[in-house]
Amino acid sequence: MIRYRTILSSIVLCAFLVAQTSAGSTAVQKAPQHELWIINTRCAPSCGEQQVQQAEIDYQRFDPKQGWIDADEAAFIDTGSADVPTSLVIHGNQVDSCDAIREGRYLYRLLCRAAEDRPFRLVVWSWPATRIRGRIRRDVQIKAAQSDVEAYYLARSVDRMNADVPLAMMGHSFGARVITGALHILAGGELAGRALKDRKNRPKRAVRVVLIAAALDNGWLLPGWRNGLALQQVDRMLITQNSSDRVLRWYPRLYGRRGPEALGFTGPACPAQLGENR
């Protein structure tokens, strides 16, 4: 828990700073407008294409006096503002609903102290990452498949937000996998047979992204690869690399005896092939 809290604290503080930079507003607020939201997909369907496309996910807003208040997508969209950056945090594997809520409140308090008079909206993306009993490899393979569904849900949610809302995304482990998949879909790509409709007329976003211990193949961001369109939606991206990460060291076993290395373990593969996105 301590390690998880430290990681998420670093993620949110980094993303908050870059999101504030991208806001580009000099408006003076009479009082800071800080918001904490949770978008919860734990009860949303994870299979059946029609069910996934039509699924409604849960929104909750935190009120210091009343606690968590049920809301909906329309209310979340209405609170978006060009003067207030939105920072989305997507947790990694083996995080249950209670941990997601607990960490969300902890990070909210942390940011309230750091932000002072600068307003922000912090959104915790809570997805079904609770550990599955049995072999760890089975758990990881199931969560890898689930991350494709989450990428679609995330892309759909972001696509419905107002385009002028400054946006940062921060992901840890499989949360990073969800983000790159969502960005690929937002750029008009398809992932696991899922895509957004009518993306040609939608404005390009300039998302600032932080990926910590990214659990995705190190070549997926290359043109023509699985998330090859993701960087088209990115203003700037920070990727941490840790070649001593004991978990990511086993990432190739996700595919069997041997497979690609993780992005968070080696960094991006063949960055020279990224072209202007490098």
Side-chain angles (χ1 to χ4, degrees):
M1 178 59 68
I2 294 176
R3 178 175 178 270
Y4 174 62
R5 175 171 292 185
T6 302
I7 290 172
L8 278 187
S9 300
S10 302
I11 292 173
V12 172
L13 285 174
C14 288
F16 175 74
L17 291 175
V18 296
Q20 285 288 344
T21 302
S22 65
S25 173
T26 57
V28 177
Q29 300 285 338
K30 293 182 179 180
Q33 301 296 315
H34 305 325
E35 292 187 8
L36 171 62
W37 287 76
I38 282 186
I39 300 179
N40 191 333
T41 65
R42 292 178 185 265
C43 294
S46 57
C47 60
E49 294 312 304
Q50 185 174 359
Q51 290 86 343
V52 170
Q53 292 179 13
Q54 297 177 354
E56 295 184 2
I57 55 183
D58 298 327
Y59 290 77
Q60 289 182 305
R61 179 178 60 84
F62 181 73
D63 184 280
K65 296 182 179 179
Q66 303 180 54
W68 291 102
I69 300 175
D70 290 337
D72 57 21
E73 183 180 67
F76 176 74
I77 293 174
D78 287 344
T79 62
S81 170
D83 298 323
V84 180
T86 293
S87 293
L88 272 159
V89 181
I90 298 89
H91 59 72
N93 193 16
Q94 299 186 7
V95 176
D96 61 26
S97 179
C98 292
D99 284 340
I101 293 173
R102 186 182 304 112
E103 295 306 322
R105 293 192 62 178
Y106 167 78
L107 294 169
Y108 177 74
R109 293 193 297 268
L110 183 70
L111 279 179
C112 284
R113 293 195 297 268
E116 298 178 346
D117 60 347
R118 293 173 294 175
F120 67 86
R121 180 169 66 163
L122 175 65
V123 184
V124 178
W125 188 272
S126 179
W127 60 282
T130 304
R131 181 172 181 176
I132 298 172
R133 292 184 179 181
R135 292 180 178 273
I136 184 64
R137 183 181 172 191
R138 176 175 175 270
D139 172 84
V140 171
Q141 289 175 330
I142 291 174
K143 303 303 174 49
Q146 180 65 36
S147 69
D148 292 340
V149 184
E150 296 303 315
Y152 173 78
Y153 284 143
L154 178 59
R156 190 183 67 177
S157 295
V158 171
D159 187 51
R160 293 174 179 176
M161 292 172 58
N162 295 325
D164 60 353
V165 175
L167 182 63
M169 296 183 183
M170 307 76 66
H172 172 231
S173 184
F174 275 133
R177 189 186 186 107
V178 172
I179 289 174
T180 58
L183 292 172
H184 177 77
I185 295 174
L186 284 168
E190 181 180 297
L191 184 66
R194 303 182 184 95
L196 296 176
K197 298 180 180 179
D198 302 324
R199 282 301 303 164
K200 292 183 179 180
N201 298 324
R202 297 291 292 171
K204 177 182 176 181
R205 287 190 174 272
V207 185
R208 296 200 170 185
V209 181
V210 182
L211 305 180
I212 307 291
L216 61 137
D217 292 16
N218 60 2
W220 275 5
L221 295 177
L222 294 174
W225 288 53
R226 200 166 192 264
N227 297 159
L229 300 180
L231 293 180
Q232 295 182 13
Q233 298 289 307
V234 171
D235 175 27
R236 296 185 182 184
M237 177 181 285
L238 171 66
I239 301 173
T240 67
Q241 175 189 347
N242 181 5
S243 58
S244 299
D245 190 301
R246 292 179 295 176
V247 176
L248 291 182
R249 184 183 300 275
W250 294 97
Y251 179 85
R253 299 293 296 273
L254 175 68
Y255 297 96
R257 284 183 171 272
R258 192 172 183 178
E261 298 282 1
L263 178 67
F265 191 73
T266 67
C270 306
Q273 296 182 20
L274 292 173
E276 64 180 9
N277 287 325
R278 181 171 181 177

